[in-house]
Amino acid sequence: MNNVKDTLDSVDVVIVGGGIIGVSTAWWLARAGMRTALFEKGTLACEQSSRNWGWVRTLSRDLPEVPLALLANRRWQELQQQVEVGYRQNGLLYLQEGERDALDHARWLENARTYGARAELLGQREVRKRLPETARAWTGALYSASDGVAEPQLATAGIAALARDAGAMLVENCAVRGIERSAGEISAVVTERGRVRTQAVLVAAGAWSRLFCGNHGIEFPQLKVRGSALRTEPFDAKLSLSINGKDFTCRKRADGGYTVSQFSASLAELVPDSFRLMPKFIRPWIANRSIVRVRLSQRFADEWKIPRRFPTDRESPFERCRVLDPLPYAKGVNQAWARLQESFPAFRAARIAQSWGGYIDVTPDAMPVMGALPAIPGLFLASGFSGHGFGIGPAVGECMAALLCGRRPPVDLMPFSLSRFG
Ligand SMILES: Cc1cc2nc3c(=O)[nH]c(=O)nc-3n(C[C@H](O)[C@H](O)[C@H](O)COP(=O)(O)OP(=O)(O)OC[C@H]3O[C@@H](n4cnc5c(N)ncnc54)[C@H](O)[C@@H]3O)c2cc1C
């Protein structure tokens, strides 16, 4: 397709971004009979949605996200019955070393139960029964049998196939440069291949959402954190549960290997936005300093060159960088690999096949923004998933589609309003 006008003149909703959030929303909208066009500047799921660990979890979520996670568990099961997304409910264990971890887990569970979460606390002996191969003396665990995994390489593509079958138009290699307004309301989007008339736009642009919104005068406090992971070649460590061992994480893949990382394999690279947003992010940086390392890197100069305001009649920053593809944080993933091998000696026989990085879109309270942006009637945002948007993606799509259709979403989205940041 050269000019989008050849096939698309006017639609009910335009979605900016073809990650799991945008694609899931497109699917739900198309099923509701809305004429929907999604534009992706690279290829579907080329950024976070294909680079994540694949966890689909309720465990340890911020409490307002628990109802979304429970809804998502049901939606993943239904999806898997229709298309291959690699979903398995194989259980998730957050392992404990000592009293402090046990208390934290017990507190989370007590609160999360009031939101409907189903999980249990395991003692030392029960952990040993579930993990007979471990060489470490875990003191207990928080366990959810109903949590699971899906395959990032399959999931968004699978949902995209359903969305296309339902009538959604998904266009790759086509950036949305911005929106146009008439009498204050949205009248069109401008893509690199022409203009499409619409009155509703969902920004689901992941790590790019701040730049997109900022160009239209909307302040979305979002930074990027570089996450990393590795995968092994197919190998049987007699471990099918997914595990968070604090200094490593590990989950079985559908291809027979394992995806391995740790929460501390995260780098917050200083960029000009880090200084602009310092008042909002300084507390979370300090609170999470054992997990996220702050670094000055080449990224500062790269982002310095990106204009914060730009016109829509010429090449935009979204076309200049089709795919964010950072190197993995080698020290972080190597440490995780070493700790996994110490904890489960069977992994000493495994071979690493690949490691990779991905930029995570983070907000100051590590919760997403989902909802309408009242400053521009017709504009909606679903972004800032802060490292946990894959698992809840199908439920987020359902909720955002309901909002865009003018219906009440199945989960209360009030806690996720942009206005909470003042
Ligand atoms: C290493 C790593 C591990 C993670 N592990 C997990 C996990 O185990 N479980 C979990 O739930 N989550 C995890 N996450 C987070 C999860 O991957 C994200 O929260 C989720 O994929 C976000 O989806 P998205 O659609 O919002 O964003 P993305 O997948 O980033 O998609 C946004 C898309 O928008 C496109 N785009 C941007 N601007 C424009 C424009 N102007 N025009 C057109 N297209 C545009 C981009 O190219 C991109 O493809 C992890 C993330 C990483 C990086």
Side-chain angles (χ1 to χ4, degrees), residues 32 103 128 138 150 240 264 308 331 334 373 389:
L103 280 174
R128 166 72 48 195
W138 309 103
S240 59
S264 311
R308 294 163 76 198
K331 190 173 165 197
N334 291 342
L373 301 178

Side-chain angles (χ1 to χ4, degrees), residues 71-306:
L71 176 62
N73 275 353
R74 295 210 304 273
R75 297 299 176 240
W76 278 109
Q77 286 171 43
E78 292 160 10
L79 273 169
Q80 182 61 38
Q81 284 163 13
Q82 298 172 67
V83 69
E84 183 56 76
V85 288
Y87 176 69
R88 285 104 64 207
Q89 215 166 29
N90 57 341
L92 174 62
L93 270 177
Y94 269 45
L95 292 161
Q96 298 167 359
E97 283 178 309
E99 197 57 22
R100 174 76 198 272
D101 294 341
L103 280 174
D104 286 350
H105 288 166
R107 199 172 310 123
W108 178 84
L109 185 56
E110 191 185 337
N111 293 322
R113 276 194 177 130
T114 64
Y115 286 80
R118 287 180 303 274
E120 55 189 305
L121 293 165
L122 304 182
Q124 200 162 9
R125 223 177 299 154
E126 290 159 290
V127 172
R128 166 72 48 195
K129 241 191 271 167
R130 282 193 164 79
L131 302 176
E133 316 288 329
T134 187
R136 250 160 96 177
W138 309 103
T139 54
L142 177 63
Y143 173 60
S144 167
S146 54
D147 283 353
V149 294
E151 293 301 330
Q153 300 297 320
L154 303 176
T156 306
I159 303 168
L162 295 174
R164 284 187 168 121
D165 284 352
M169 173 88 97
L170 311 182
V171 186
E172 296 181 289
N173 297 304
C174 184
V176 179
R177 291 175 174 168
I179 55 176
E180 285 185 346
R181 286 193 273 172
S182 150
E185 302 198 352
I186 291 180
S187 54
V189 296
V190 181
T191 78
E192 64 181 290
R193 287 191 245 150
R195 181 176 280 100
V196 179
R197 284 189 292 131
T198 187
Q199 292 186 320
V201 174
L202 169 65
V203 180
W208 300 84
S209 292
R210 173 174 166 77
L211 184 67
F212 191 95
C213 289
N215 195 34
H216 296 289
I218 290 173
E219 170 60 19
F220 173 40
Q222 171 242 306
L223 290 174
K224 301 181 194 73
V225 165
R226 176 151 47 117
S228 301
L230 64 80
R231 70 178 171 89
T232 70
E233 289 181 355
F235 163 78
D236 186 13
K238 304 207 174 0
L239 192 60
S240 59
L241 280 169
S242 300
I243 290 179
N244 172 14
K246 290 178 70 176
D247 47 16
F248 70 88
T249 63
C250 165
R251 69 112 179 151
K252 185 80 181 165
R253 300 166 58 90
D255 65 11
Y258 290 84
T259 294
V260 179
S261 188
Q262 61 169 329
F263 286 102
S264 311
S266 306
L267 277 186
E269 287 157 293
L270 289 173
V271 292
D273 271 344
S274 315
F275 297 95
R276 294 180 193 117
L277 293 172
M278 179 87 76
K280 289 198 163 70
F281 275 89
I282 189 80
R283 275 167 183 263
W285 279 348
I286 292 171
N288 291 304
R289 64 188 178 283
S290 62
I291 300 178
V292 181
R293 328 260 156 205
V294 179
R295 289 275 191 288
L296 185 62
S297 69
Q298 173 61 30
R299 189 84 204 147
F300 187 95
D302 294 346
E303 293 211 7
W304 182 260
K305 290 183 208 140
I306 300 175

Side-chain angles (χ1 to χ4, degrees), residues 133-136 230 232 235 247-250 260 333-352:
E133 316 288 329
T134 187
R136 250 160 96 177
L230 64 80
T232 70
F235 163 78
D247 47 16
F248 70 88
T249 63
C250 165
V260 179
V333 283
N334 291 342
Q335 268 173 358
W337 181 233
R339 292 300 276 161
L340 173 65
Q341 289 180 313
E342 280 166 39
S343 308
F344 291 87
F347 277 91
R348 291 191 181 130
R351 289 227 307 261
I352 296 174

Side-chain angles (χ1 to χ4, degrees), residues 17 19 21 40-41 48-49 52-53 55 176 318 387-391:
I21 301 298
E40 164 55 52
K41 65 179 169 57
Q48 296 175 85
S49 294
N52 61 72
W53 301 349
W55 289 15
V176 179
F318 310 113
H388 27 86
F390 178 73

